[in-house]
């Protein structure tokens, strides 16, 4: 996959890969490498494929995960915490059709359901057309047994290995007495306590998968509890830092917009500084950035100013 060429200037918010996006992409990569085989999905993922499709009416269609398999067939994964409806199937069919026509590939859609989905609908018949998806339910896997096994190992002083930790990433999809949110929190505790068993990078990938599943399956209240724990990890700290950075940039952009407005009225630097109660050196710097490149928007200028501090 080609990497984007680095630019000498700070990137804009839309072009910048924020840590939350990175967490989701990391989860997608790890899901393809480690978890698809455990879900019974045939075909080895060579690399992560695009998930954002744009039709002619400029309506963006966001999919969950896409992978290119060894035979160049695309594996499309969707997550559903509720029952699969006919409207869902129409949406998945639209994803497949657009992807197939855009990239000239065959697509197979797997819908990964939570244990709450009892009888998933997998076929849609409309006219003479029949559309099918493959539903995956871990109905035979029980998270209570998994947690009990790992707890017993810990009691016996047996260190947990990667092979013990990877199944935890699928615990939100299993059955069990605990809620999905409680399972995610419990799994994160296991990951943290066994952090010495895997590399730092591996641990962050696992945490990214848990964070992604939390986003997919939890309501706002339960997600808040998971975020509290995630934010105590290094992955969480990156997300916090990134959120602060975005907030600062947006605040700075509002000031830049006010300066730009005053400048368009022909006011000199001294008048702008006085009216907005800003340091004249700062106003001069903003005006210089505006003059250097007229295509820069307020947020781009704000990010440059922040990077220079």
């Amino acid at each position: 996959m080609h990497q984007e060429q680095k630019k000498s200037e700070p990137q804009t918010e839309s072009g910048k890969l924020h840590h939350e996006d990175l967490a989701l992409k990391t989860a997608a990569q790890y899901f393809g490498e480690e978890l698809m085989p455990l879900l019974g999905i045939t075909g080895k993922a060579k690399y992560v494929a695009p998930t954002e499709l744009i039709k002619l009416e400029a309506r963006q269609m966001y999919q969950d995960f896409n992978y290119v398999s060894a035979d160049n067939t695309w594996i499309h994964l969707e997550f559903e915490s509720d029952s699969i409806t006919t409207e869902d199937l129409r949406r998945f069919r639209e994803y497949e059709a657009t992807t197939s026509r855009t990239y000239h590939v065959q697509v197979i859609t797997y819908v990964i359901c939570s244990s709450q989905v009892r009888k998933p609908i997998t076929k849609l018949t409309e006219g003479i057309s029949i559309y099918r998806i493959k539903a995956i339910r871990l109905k035979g896997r029980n998270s209570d047994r998994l947690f009990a096994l790992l707890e017993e190992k810990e009691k016996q002083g047996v260190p947990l290995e990667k092979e013990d930790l990877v199944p935890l990433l699928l615990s939100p999809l299993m059955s069990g007495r605990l809620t999905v949110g409680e399972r995610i929190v419990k799994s994160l505790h296991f990951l943290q306590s066994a952090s010495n068993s895997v590399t730092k990078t591996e641990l962050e990938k696992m945490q990214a998968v848990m964070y992604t599943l939390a986003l997919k399956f939890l309501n706002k209240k339960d997600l808040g509890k998971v975020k509290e724990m995630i934010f105590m990890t290094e992955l969480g700290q990156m997300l916090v830092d990134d959120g602060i950075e975005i907030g600062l940039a947006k605040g700075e952009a509002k000031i830049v917009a006010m300066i730009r407005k005053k400048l368009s009225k022909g006011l000199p630097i001294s008048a702008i500084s006085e009216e907005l109660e800003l340091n004249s050196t700062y106003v001069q710097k903003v005006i210089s950035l505006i003059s250097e490149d007229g295509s820069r928007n307020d947020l781009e200028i704000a990010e440059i100013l922040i990077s220079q501090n």
Side-chain angles (χ1 to χ4, degrees):
M1 296 175 67
H2 299 290
Q3 293 182 339
E4 293 184 1
Q5 186 177 2
K6 292 184 178 179
K7 299 180 181 179
S8 57
E9 296 179 353
Q11 296 176 327
T12 64
E13 182 180 12
S14 60
K16 187 165 71 171
L17 181 64
H18 292 307
H19 287 303
E20 181 148 349
D21 296 325
L22 180 59
L24 297 178
K25 287 178 171 60
T26 298
Q29 181 184 15
Y30 198 79
F31 208 99
E33 292 172 354
E34 301 286 346
L35 299 181
M36 285 203 323
L38 296 183
L39 293 169
I41 298 175
T42 58
K44 182 176 177 59
K46 290 198 299 184
Y47 52 86
V48 177
T51 56
E52 180 181 345
L53 303 174
I54 302 177
K55 294 182 68 177
L56 286 179
E57 71 260 31
R59 180 167 60 86
Q60 293 178 311
M61 297 187 292
Y62 292 99
Q63 302 167 77
D64 286 339
F65 294 162
N66 275 339
Y67 303 93
V68 178
S69 64
D71 63 358
N72 290 324
T73 298
W74 279 36
I75 297 170
H76 170 214
L77 301 187
E78 288 288 331
F79 296 86
E80 288 294 328
S81 57
D82 300 320
S83 299
I84 301 173
T85 65
T86 54
E87 197 56 39
D88 289 327
L89 292 177
R90 290 190 180 99
R91 176 164 53 90
F92 301 151
R93 181 179 61 177
E94 186 178 10
Y95 290 162
E96 278 195 25
T98 305
T99 300
S100 179
R101 187 171 185 180
T102 302
Y103 296 100
H104 305 286
V105 294
Q106 296 182 50
V107 184
I108 299 174
T109 295
Y110 294 84
V111 181
I112 301 172
C113 309
S114 72
S115 59
Q116 298 174 357
V117 180
R118 300 300 179 189
K119 294 182 179 179
I121 301 173
T122 61
K123 185 173 74 171
L124 174 69
T125 302
E126 291 190 326
I128 62 172
S129 174
I130 299 176
Y131 170 70
R132 288 186 174 90
I133 55 97
K134 293 189 176 183
I136 296 177
R137 286 181 59 235
L138 300 182
K139 56 184 178 181
R141 302 283 295 276
N142 187 286
S143 59
D144 297 333
R145 288 196 291 269
L146 174 62
F147 294 144
L149 177 64
L150 298 188
E151 286 170 350
E152 185 60 30
K153 280 192 171 185
E154 287 186 333
K155 286 180 182 177
Q156 295 176 1
V158 179
L160 300 182
E161 303 295 337
K162 176 183 173 180
E163 293 72 21
D164 299 310
L165 301 178
V166 170
L168 286 170
L169 307 183
L170 297 178
S171 65
L173 307 174
M174 300 176 185
S175 61
R177 293 172 298 171
L178 300 178
T179 66
V180 174
E182 289 170 337
R183 280 179 241 159
I184 291 176
V185 169
K186 197 172 184 69
S187 297
L188 287 170
H189 275 298
F190 276 117
L191 292 178
Q192 201 62 31
S193 64
S195 58
N196 292 332
S197 301
V198 293
T199 64
K200 177 183 174 183
T201 301
E202 190 89 14
L203 179 62
E204 288 180 357
K205 288 180 179 180
M206 291 180 175
Q207 290 169 343
V209 170
M210 298 306 302
Y211 181 70
T212 301
L213 291 179
L215 293 175
K216 300 293 182 185
F217 289 114
L218 299 184
N219 57 37
K220 188 175 181 180
K221 180 181 178 181
D222 291 335
L223 181 59
K225 296 177 183 177
V226 172
K227 281 186 174 182
E228 286 179 8
M229 187 167 184
I230 283 282
F231 288 158
M232 291 188 290
T233 67
E234 290 198 32
L235 171 67
Q237 190 56 53
M238 287 193 294
L239 295 172
V240 171
D241 292 343
D242 197 56
I244 292 172
E245 182 182 337
I246 294 171
L248 288 173
K250 288 183 177 179
E252 196 92 15
K254 291 179 181 179
I255 299 174
V256 173
M258 289 189 289
I259 294 175
R260 190 191 293 272
K261 186 175 181 180
K262 299 292 183 183
L263 183 64
S264 67
K265 293 181 178 180
L267 295 180
I269 292 174
S270 57
I272 295 174
S273 302
E274 184 175 348
E275 284 195 26
L276 299 179
E277 298 182 349
L278 295 171
N279 183 284
S280 59
T281 303
Y282 174 82
V283 174
Q284 175 64 64
K285 188 182 294 187
V286 173
I287 292 175
S288 296
L289 290 171
I290 293 172
S291 303
E292 283 174 9
D293 186 349
S295 65
R296 284 176 180 152
N297 60 38
D298 299 334
L299 187 58
E300 288 175 314
I301 293 173
E303 290 178 339
I304 293 173
L305 290 169
I306 290 173
S307 69
Q308 291 176 346
N309 291 338

